[in-house]
Amino acid sequence: MPDKPSVLFVCVHNAGRSQMAAAWLTHLAGDRVEVRSAGSAPADQVNPAAVEAMREAGIDISAEIPKVLTVDAVKESDVCVTMGCGDTCPVFPGKRYLDWALDDPAGRGVAAVRPIRDEIRKRVEDLIAEIAPELTA
């Protein structure tokens, strides 16, 4: 793993889970980890319930825009974390792939998104401990 690990979070719409995960990793690791997120079929906007849930945690993702998953984004990442995008994520040798089974926040209110947000934070903290343990010391 290079000095500055790179992580790509992928979900179908890049509007909920992957946006929250990217925001948590950026918030918790700062510029010591390169963070990307994308979707196999990006939505027009980030899920408003996800925006509100993250705002409650002190993180503003309201300006984020869902992005399309590209082969280059995967190639440039050390770790690719998928969240329900199935087989649409390209696989390259030497990359680490994780699949996080998380409920999809699409169509849910903020009360239903909070537990998803909290589970993502826990998984991001565990990921940081693995890829950049000096950040958790």
Side-chain angles (χ1 to χ4, degrees):
M1 189 103 14
D3 291 339
K4 184 174 180 176
S6 176
V7 178
L8 170 65
F9 294 102
V10 182
C11 67
V12 175
H13 300 298
N14 189 222
R17 296 166 289 187
S18 57
Q19 291 283 354
M20 290 190 287
W24 276 123
L25 184 53
T26 299
H27 178 76
L28 296 169
D31 62 358
R32 293 168 288 194
V33 176
E34 189 175 335
V35 182
R36 296 179 182 87
S37 72
S40 52
D44 294 331
Q45 65 179 13
V46 174
N47 180 331
V51 171
E52 180 57 30
M54 292 303 286
R55 183 176 290 125
E56 291 174 357
I59 300 171
D60 183 6
I61 62 171
S62 62
E64 296 299 323
I65 298 169
K67 296 166 280 307
V68 69
L69 176 64
T70 65
V71 170
D72 286 343
V74 178
K75 281 184 180 176
E76 295 168 5
S77 300
D78 300 308
V79 179
C80 182
V81 180
T82 57
M83 304 175 202
C85 70
D87 297 332
T88 61
C89 190
V91 176
F92 295 98
K95 303 290 177 191
R96 181 171 177 206
Y97 293 88
L98 302 172
D99 185 45
W100 291 355
L102 296 161
D103 290 335
D104 188 346
R108 298 176 183 217
V110 70
V113 175
R114 286 183 191 117
I116 300 167
R117 172 202 64 199
D118 296 343
E119 177 63 21
I120 291 171
R121 179 184 179 142
K122 179 187 170 303
R123 291 181 189 212
V124 165
E125 289 171 340
D126 291 346
L127 180 64
I128 291 169
E130 290 176 35
I131 67 169
E134 70 280 1
L135 299 180
T136 59

